Amino acid sequence: PAYVYSYNQAIAEGYLVPPVIRLDRLVMSDETVALIEQARESKGDDELRELAKSLMDDGIVEWTCAAADRHLTGRHILVFCCDLQQARATAAGLTDAGRKAVVVSGETPKGQRRALLRQFERGEIDALVNCTVLTEGTDLPITDGLIMARPFSSKPLFIQALGRGLRTCQKTGKTDCVVVDLLGATEEHSLTHAVAM
């Protein structure tokens, strides 16, 4: 028989902190909604670039920055974007709003990426804005805020991204992770309902 160790059990036993979901939906055009459906089926880079452009036309960058102000003041944030253009624009917007935000992507040299992650862990950077590189295998326990500024067609990918913020952190004594969902991923891929607000 298979043994399943659920997120709820790990949270109850103190190995993870609970996610606190804040659904703060971007109002999207019909074109963007259709592109999200296409991206669910194809999962190709070209579709994600087209989707990112449409999301940006709908104001995703401005909405992300405003949502960070509404829900994540004083938190260490990871932002998940569709592509590098969206990530760069989002980091610039967060910086203009007074946060120290940087982009981490597949184009970031590994040595520089490691240095940026260490700065984030020391609290010298407020927000890491990424596309496709910080969804799995990244250990940043200081993270106590996530912004889902992209759709997640894959539940395992969504859970990996969510997991970046659920690790406990003795240094800060964090008690939860606020997850700001801009496109409805938390409705599509339920993890737990007990702590969702």
Side-chain angles (χ1 to χ4, degrees):
Y3 175 72
V4 176
Y5 188 73
S6 70
Y7 267 83
N8 284 337
Q9 189 175 350
I11 290 166
E13 294 177 1
Y15 295 109
L16 298 175
V17 299
V20 177
I21 309 300
R22 303 278 189 235
L23 185 59
D24 195 341
R25 255 187 206 281
L26 173 72
V27 176
M28 294 179 284
S29 66
D30 291 342
E31 177 188 358
T32 302
V33 172
L35 287 169
I36 288 174
E37 288 302 318
Q38 288 174 12
R40 280 193 184 107
E41 294 170 15
S42 67
K43 300 175 185 133
D45 288 343
D46 289 339
E47 286 79 7
L48 281 178
R49 275 192 289 276
E50 189 177 356
L51 173 57
K53 182 183 180 315
S54 191
L55 284 168
M56 290 174 69
D57 289 345
D58 287 347
I60 189 76
V61 171
E62 298 80 5
W63 196 259
T64 300
C65 297
D69 284 343
R70 285 191 290 270
H71 306 290
L72 299 172
T73 299
R75 292 191 178 249
H76 302 88
I77 306 168
L78 292 185
V79 183
F80 295 94
C81 296
C82 291
D83 77 348
L84 190 51
Q85 182 182 4
Q86 180 191 356
R88 286 177 175 148
T90 300
L94 289 169
T95 299
D96 288 346
R99 296 178 191 264
K100 180 149 188 191
V102 296
V103 174
V104 178
S105 76
E107 294 183 9
T108 309
K110 287 188 179 181
Q112 182 184 356
R113 187 188 309 175
R114 282 192 294 271
L116 290 172
L117 297 183
R118 283 194 299 270
Q119 287 180 291
F120 181 73
E121 275 292 294
R122 291 193 300 263
E124 297 165 10
I125 292 173
D126 303 317
L128 292 176
V129 185
N130 87 105
C131 55
T132 70
V133 295
L134 298 180
T135 48
E136 58 185 65
T138 304
D139 187 21
L140 298 167
I142 198 170
T143 305
D144 57 0
L146 301 173
I147 300 181
M148 305 305 194
R150 58 157 291 172
F152 288 88
S153 56
S154 158
K155 183 172 184 176
L157 183 63
F158 170 72
I159 289 173
Q160 287 287 340
L162 187 66
R164 298 315 93 211
L166 301 188
R167 297 194 177 166
T168 60
C169 184
Q170 292 182 348
K171 181 168 95 173
T172 63
K174 82 178 184 185
T175 58
D176 62 25
C177 179
V178 176
V179 180
V180 181
D181 178 9
L182 306 184
L183 302 175
T186 57
E187 293 178 321
E188 184 177 352
H189 306 297
S190 65
L191 175 72
T192 178
H193 299 288
V195 295
M197 295 181 173

